[in-house]
Amino acid sequence: MADGKEKSADSASAEMIDRAVREGISTGCSRAESLKPCPIGVEESCCKICSMGPCRLPRSKTGETSRRAGVCGATVDTIVARNFARKVAGGSASHSDHAREVALTFLMAAQGKAQDFTIKDEMKLFEVALDFGINIEKRDVKEIAVELGEKALSEFGKQSGELIFTGKAPLRRQELWRKQNVMPRGIDREVVEVMHRTHMGVDQDYRHILQQATRAALADGWGGSMISTELQDIMFGTPVPVLGSINLGVLKEDHVNIVVHGHEPLLPEMLVVASRDPVIKQSVERSGAKGINLAGMCCSANEVLMRHGIPCAGNFLQQELALVTGAVELMTVDVQCQMQGLANVAECFHTKLITTSDRAMIQGAEHIEFHPEKGLDTAKRILTMAIENYPNRRGPVCIPAEKQDMIAGFSHETITYLLGGLFRASYRPLNDNIANGRIRGVAGVVGCNNVRTRHDADHLAMIRELIKNDVLVLTTGCSAMACGKAGLLTPEAAGQHAGKGLAEVCETIGIPPVLHMGSCVDNSRILIAATAIVKEGGLGEDLSDLPVAGAAPEWMSEKAIAIGHYFVASGIFTVFGTTWPTLGSENVTRHLFEEYEDMYKGMWAFEPDPVKAAHLMIAHIDKKRKALGIDKARERVLYDMAMRRAME
Ligand code: SF4
Ligand code: MSK
């Protein structure tokens, strides 16, 4: 196998990839070498939704789309559109089922039935209650929270009307969604309808299939994901900038290392509380370890980092590598992005792998189900298991030295305060700096790692290019963690990597040029931040008027497609890397890449070269600046005193 440095841009990961190879431990990197992707599947021109197939309709050698049809007569356009829509449904279902769990826990917390869960951010509770049309005057906090929990839960099963959070979007955008008939009605309904329409022999017009995919994606971004973010903020506190550290070097040889991996922050929150329990502390002392070291992985890491400053062990492609250190006593996994291969890696060491969600089990892992009624008790049980496992370490522990400081926790609320100050919280300074050209535009760079591209490399190449060109970057998920490891989430990064205008703004406010906004569901924060820029005024009337763009250069999951699709349907130009799942159909690709610009004023693009992709985004940003009439401002020179004197 190629050496670790070719597989990862992060030297800690490279070191562990090499260790795994030396010790004969199978990881995602080694499996990818022996398992090449199917070329027909990559282009999504294969249908297997009924047992008369699978029907494979590859492009001809000259690159033309096959004129053949599946056994039922389905064209390649229908097949590719169905596969794309099902990806959107899978992604929307994942975010939204996460949100359902959060909403159920929120309601139990409001009713006093969830052990140790409370309402931490009352101000945000009142704001969100008002969004839901709930009367907050002269009412008890718990009563408001119960009504909010019930109303939020009813968004999932609603059959008609419009999802409540779509009312937060700019009015122009809401009108456009109604005109295109994609306003989401109920979260579950839209996902179910995609699955029905893409069943054998139902919807067989690719444009019509994609219309429902769009409605399902909007039900994610302006529904499930947003509900999840807002209720988590109310329960656990709205994030504020926090100093944290990242990379495999956060693991400690003389501590009991527990890695929380997955997405739902419910158990991780309780583990934080339980780790402070005096009885737990006593058992740590008895074990001979110097303490408990909680660390996060993937989006669970983003959640506990933003609210507690808990260190991050790493992003998606580091999950198995953390275990290869031999220093992890226990890893918990709940839902999404956890590799089944973890069980094999854990077996090579003393590590206990614990599944905790009633929706996800892994053969070879131990299952300890987390339920909010007994949340704290479960967390203590898990910590105790980890402590008892500390003396069982086998073989030499090998923890890479790499560990990097970073600042995370830039919620939309925080950005408002940082920009405008506590007493005049506002996006006005950001809008002004965009108008005067110091900030050329804003980019949301998000998403996963993908073993088919060098780990972290594409995120970093794209983001460095964007900030060098004065584009402020908002980031979430595994992309945020790639930036953290590379030192881009520090205020000093502005002076080192950003263009002159962006650096000037960042240095004045004291923020990094790349702002960590959270986990995958927190991409809804980016929608809210973009909406706040529109509402502040002066930069158009819709999200599609803004000089902004989105990207996921190393995407791999269906959730990334759902996120990208709600960005596009919200009017944002979005470019993905690695591979693109509609290349099997020229018509479907043209529809999403070109016709969507007319329909939604936002469209998809595919560019595997991250620097070229950054320049597609910059070109789009410049096009929007020109349309707004602020393109000339960039050419204006800011004269300092020396230049003025020279003129005199
Ligand atoms: Fe083939 Fe049609 Fe069945 Fe798909 S639905 S597998 S194209 S026969
Ligand atoms: S964890 S969806 S690999 S961002 Fe949210 Fe990372 Fe992508 Fe999972």
Side-chain angles (χ1 to χ4, degrees):
M1 195 179 97
D3 77 10
K5 285 208 171 73
E6 284 177 41
K7 296 280 174 194
S8 177
D10 162 46
S11 48
S13 300
E15 188 185 335
M16 287 302 101
I17 291 168
D18 290 339
R19 182 178 202 209
V21 172
R22 277 197 310 276
E23 314 251 328
I25 300 168
S26 158
T27 64
C29 289
S30 59
R31 291 187 294 271
E33 293 251 316
S34 58
L35 199 65
K36 295 297 168 204
C38 159
I40 303 170
V42 162
E43 302 202 337
E44 296 289 351
S45 46
C46 170
C47 181
K48 52 182 175 63
I49 64 173
C50 92
S51 69
M52 295 190 288
C55 299
R56 306 190 305 164
L57 306 183
R59 284 193 287 178
S60 71
K61 289 222 168 75
T62 56
E64 282 162 26
T65 303
S66 166
R67 286 176 193 277
R68 288 185 303 127
V71 173
C72 65
T75 62
V76 76
D77 300 335
T78 299
I79 290 171
V80 170
R82 280 198 297 227
N83 289 340
F84 185 84
R86 284 186 168 215
K87 282 194 190 316
V88 172
S92 302
S94 306
H95 286 147
S96 300
D97 209 39
H98 167 164
R100 187 195 325 275
E101 199 65 23
V102 171
L104 286 166
T105 306
F106 180 89
L107 184 56
M108 290 175 74
Q111 292 166 333
K113 294 182 189 162
Q115 202 183 18
D116 249 66
F117 287 99
T118 52
I119 302 297
K120 284 221 179 96
D121 190 339
E122 291 187 6
M123 194 57 78
K124 186 141 189 180
L125 169 70
F126 299 146
E127 281 167 21
V128 179
L130 289 174
D131 289 335
F132 272 77
I134 295 168
N135 174 24
I136 60 168
E137 270 181 49
K138 296 185 187 147
R139 289 183 77 194
D140 180 57
V141 166
K142 281 197 176 152
E143 208 180 301
I144 297 169
V146 168
E147 190 175 342
L148 176 58
E150 286 167 348
K151 287 206 158 139
L153 272 173
S154 71
E155 291 289 273
F156 292 86
K158 229 160 70 175
Q159 301 304 321
S160 57
E162 298 177 352
L163 286 182
I164 284 168
F165 278 147
T166 58
K168 287 167 89 87
L171 291 176
R172 282 282 163 91
R173 187 57 27 187
Q174 295 178 44
E175 283 162 16
L176 188 149
W177 289 334
R178 286 187 200 106
K179 184 174 145 226
Q180 295 294 345
N181 197 18
V182 293
M183 193 56 111
R185 298 155 294 188
I187 297 165
D188 293 349
R189 175 169 185 178
E190 306 313 349
V191 173
V192 168
E193 193 167 317
V194 170
M195 297 311 286
H196 176 201
R197 287 207 207 180
T198 56
H199 182 274
M200 192 271 156
V202 187
D203 201 355
Q204 287 157 105
D205 175 326
Y206 69 90
R207 290 190 179 89
H208 198 237
I209 294 167
L210 292 172
Q211 182 191 41
Q212 179 55 23
T214 303
R215 189 150 42 187
L218 289 172
D220 175 0
W222 297 86
S225 284
M226 207 170 273
I227 287 176
S228 178
T229 295
E230 300 295 65
L231 297 189
Q232 283 173 191
D233 280 359
I234 298 170
M235 266 195 294
F236 308 135
T238 303
V240 292
V242 58
L243 180 67
S245 53
I246 185 162
N247 215 340
L248 296 171
V250 304
L251 299 173
K252 294 179 182 169
E253 185 156 2
D254 51 7
H255 278 57
V256 177
N257 290 302
I258 298 156
V259 177
V260 288
H261 175 20
H263 280 77
E264 293 174 352
L266 308 172
L267 170 65
E269 284 285 330
M270 282 303 107
L271 287 172
V272 173
V273 177
S275 64
R276 296 177 190 137
D277 185 277
V279 179
I280 294 286
K281 285 187 173 164
Q282 280 165 13
S283 28
V284 178
E285 277 167 31
R286 282 197 301 273
S287 75
K290 290 218 171 109
I292 286 187
N293 183 36
L294 265 185
M297 178 65 66
C298 273
C299 281
S300 288
N302 287 322
E303 300 280 4
V304 283
L305 161 74
M306 288 202 305
R307 296 198 178 88
H308 302 287
I310 300 288
C312 288
N315 52 5
F316 177 68
L317 281 182
Q318 290 179 287
Q319 57 184 286
E320 292 170 312
L321 305 179
L323 306 194
V324 173
T325 62
V328 176
E329 273 58 56
L330 185 146
M331 176 184 265
T332 63
V333 296
D334 53 21
V335 289
Q336 302 164 23
C337 304
Q338 44 232 12
M339 292 191 182
Q340 188 167 354
L342 284 170
N344 286 329
V345 186
E347 232 173 54
C348 299
F349 298 90
H350 71 305
T351 309
K352 285 190 183 296
L353 181 67
I354 309 289
T355 49
T356 62
S357 165
D358 59 355
R359 291 156 294 173
M361 286 193 177
I362 297 178
Q363 272 192 326
E366 207 167 318
H367 190 67
I368 300 180
E369 235 167 73
F370 175 81
H371 294 284
E373 311 90 292
K374 294 264 171 233
L376 190 56
D377 293 346
T378 310
K380 285 183 191 166
R381 184 177 159 201
I382 288 172
L383 290 187
T384 306
M385 279 176 77
I387 296 163
E388 286 169 359
N389 199 25
Y390 178 72
N392 298 333
R393 284 187 188 176
R394 301 178 219 149
V397 162
C398 176
I399 302 174
E402 287 84 347
K403 182 166 87 165
Q404 169 67 44
D405 283 348
M406 62 175 169
I407 298 186
F410 289 90
S411 56
H412 141 72
E413 290 82 351
T414 300
I415 295 175
T416 324
Y417 292 142
L418 282 174
L419 290 170
L422 194 56
F423 297 106
R424 53 182 182 89
S426 146
Y427 271 69
R428 177 53 38 205
L430 177 63
N431 284 29
D432 286 347
N433 278 306
I434 292 174
N436 68 27
R438 282 196 190 93
I439 295 178
R440 191 171 188 162
V442 181
V445 183
V446 306
C448 327
N449 299 133
N450 186 320
V451 77
R452 302 292 175 195
T453 182
R454 191 170 172 240
H455 173 225
D456 287 350
D458 292 359
H459 286 297
L460 298 177
M462 172 182 278
I463 290 170
R464 286 193 179 117
E465 193 65 19
L466 288 168
I467 61 178
K468 187 173 95 187
N469 284 283
D470 293 319
V471 176
L472 176 69
V473 172
L474 310 180
T475 184
T476 62
C478 294
S479 182
M481 289 185 265
C483 293
K485 284 179 273 174
L488 295 176
L489 302 184
T490 58
E492 298 75 45
Q496 292 157 1
H497 301 281
K500 193 164 169 271
L502 176 62
E504 203 178 312
V505 175
C506 291
E507 279 161 5
T508 308
I509 309 172
I511 55 170
V514 183
L515 303 182
H516 182 312
M517 293 188 85
S519 64
C520 318
V521 290
D522 292 332
N523 285 310
S524 58
R525 294 189 200 277
I526 299 181
L527 295 178
I528 295 296
T531 302
I533 298 174
V534 173
K535 291 187 176 167
E536 188 60 47
L539 294 174
E541 295 180 342
D542 193 357
L543 298 169
S544 54
D545 295 330
L546 297 174
V548 304
E554 298 181 27
W555 78 279
M556 62 86 200
S557 83
E558 291 173 327
K559 291 184 291 168
I561 291 288
I563 293 164
H565 206 58
Y566 73 63
F567 266 54
V568 166
S570 300
I572 296 167
F573 170 68
T574 302
V575 52
F576 269 34
T578 63
T579 175
W580 178 251
T582 69
L583 292 179
S585 161
E586 286 161 23
N587 284 334
V588 171
T589 305
R590 189 180 315 111
H591 188 54
L592 294 171
F593 286 28
E594 295 170 24
E595 291 166 13
Y596 259 49
E597 184 166 17
D598 293 333
M599 294 166 68
Y600 296 100
K601 304 181 195 312
M603 64 290 193
W604 281 101
F606 167 54
E607 174 49 70
D609 180 319
V611 175
K612 284 188 189 157
H615 282 282
L616 290 179
M617 297 162 81
I618 292 166
H620 179 81
I621 284 169
D622 286 350
K623 186 171 93 178
K624 294 293 170 184
R625 294 188 66 87
K626 190 162 188 201
L628 288 166
I630 54 172
D631 52 323
K632 296 284 181 281
R634 278 195 57 73
E635 286 152 26
R636 217 184 287 150
V637 178
L638 289 170
Y639 289 95
D640 61 18
M641 282 312 289
M643 290 161 86
R644 281 177 208 281
R645 272 192 218 109
M647 281 169 73
E648 283 158 14

